[in-house]
Amino acid sequence: MPKIGMEPVRRKALIDAAISAIGEHGSLDVTMSEIAGRAGVSSALAHHYFGAKDELLLATMRHLLAELGADARRALKAARTPRARVLAVVAVNFSAAQFRAQTIAAWLAFYVEAQRSPALRRLLRVYARRLHANLMSGLTGLLPRAEAGEVAETTAALIDGFYIRQALRDGAPDAASAVRLIENYLNTKLNGCPNAP
């Protein structure tokens, strides 16, 4: 009989194993058996907690979104100026907790699968709306709303683009370079703004 309180631990282990397996394969073409083995549990237990593999994949995507959201909330709470809010959002997306090889590969796999999966597409839309809103929370204090929207959209595209480029290249993720290039873009847009210190 399983110990009380083990379910959250095992569910988290299965989600971590799913990220690891997806990262290694570079796709969602992984089996429940493989994920369960990585997590140190039986396939039957994995199915008990999540049902089908699709449910585990959705839970994994929700987990990635929840971690990113929590990191963003902490960073935004600490930011004292509108410009600091924008830079905090960029920094969070390229933090050591987020911009890891396995996580990058998982995001890319989810983007690809979202073309076929309405459930994953909905989750990616949630991510896109949150990213846009977080960027706008600083940009609207610096630029007129329409211009802020364009800068937010371009910044979000740069963030996503650096994830895609990293997923397609060999070697360790280069977060510092991505942050520097995005900050260069933001500086060209914000320099000279009366509200941008």
Side-chain angles (χ1 to χ4, degrees), residues 1-7 10 45 48-49:
M1 180 171 242
K3 295 177 184 173
I4 294 180
M6 285 303 292
E7 181 175 349
R10 288 185 175 146
L45 193 59
H48 170 73
Y49 288 143

Side-chain angles (χ1 to χ4, degrees), residues 2 12 40 44 80 100 114 116 133 143 150 160-162 180 184:
K12 174 74 167 67
R80 299 289 176 232
R100 300 176 298 135
R116 291 181 290 246
L143 299 167
E150 289 180 8
D160 291 344
F162 280 112
R180 186 182 70 254
N184 287 346

Side-chain angles (χ1 to χ4, degrees), residues 113-167:
E113 188 62 25
Q115 303 306 305
R116 291 181 290 246
S117 168
L120 285 176
R121 189 176 308 121
R122 278 191 298 276
L123 288 176
L124 285 172
R125 285 182 181 148
V126 167
Y127 154 74
R129 282 194 302 269
R130 284 183 190 163
L131 178 57
H132 184 80
N134 287 340
L135 290 166
M136 289 293 282
S137 76
L139 289 169
T140 54
L142 301 168
L143 299 167
R145 186 156 193 86
E147 190 177 349
E150 289 180 8
V151 173
E153 187 66 24
T154 303
T155 304
L158 288 169
I159 290 168
D160 291 344
F162 280 112
Y163 268 73
I164 292 167
R165 289 182 70 138
Q166 182 59 52

Side-chain angles (χ1 to χ4, degrees), residues 16 19 64 67 95-106 163 173:
D16 290 344
I19 293 169
L64 291 173
E67 283 191 335
S95 68
Q98 297 296 329
F99 202 60
R100 300 176 298 135
Q102 291 177 335
T103 305
I104 293 165
Y163 268 73

Side-chain angles (χ1 to χ4, degrees), residues 15 21 30 47 75 79 108 129-130 135 140 148 166 170 175-177 180 189:
I15 287 169
V30 294
H47 283 287
L108 184 61
R129 282 194 302 269
R130 284 183 190 163
L135 290 166
T140 54
Q166 182 59 52
D170 293 328
S177 175
R180 186 182 70 254
K189 291 299 186 178

Side-chain angles (χ1 to χ4, degrees), residues 15-91:
I15 287 169
D16 290 344
I19 293 169
S20 172
I22 293 165
E24 187 176 302
H25 285 264
S27 75
L28 300 183
D29 189 22
V30 294
T31 65
M32 273 298 246
S33 178
E34 179 182 356
I35 294 168
R38 285 174 185 254
V41 301
S42 68
S43 292
L45 193 59
H47 283 287
H48 170 73
Y49 288 143
F50 291 102
K53 182 179 88 169
D54 289 348
E55 292 304 314
L56 173 55
L57 296 177
L58 281 171
T60 301
M61 185 72 207
R62 284 189 196 103
H63 172 77
L64 291 173
L65 285 170
E67 283 191 335
L68 180 59
D71 289 350
R73 284 189 297 278
R74 280 190 293 276
L76 288 169
K77 188 174 181 180
R80 299 289 176 232
T81 66
R83 188 182 197 122
R85 290 180 72 80
V86 176
L87 297 178
V89 173
V90 173

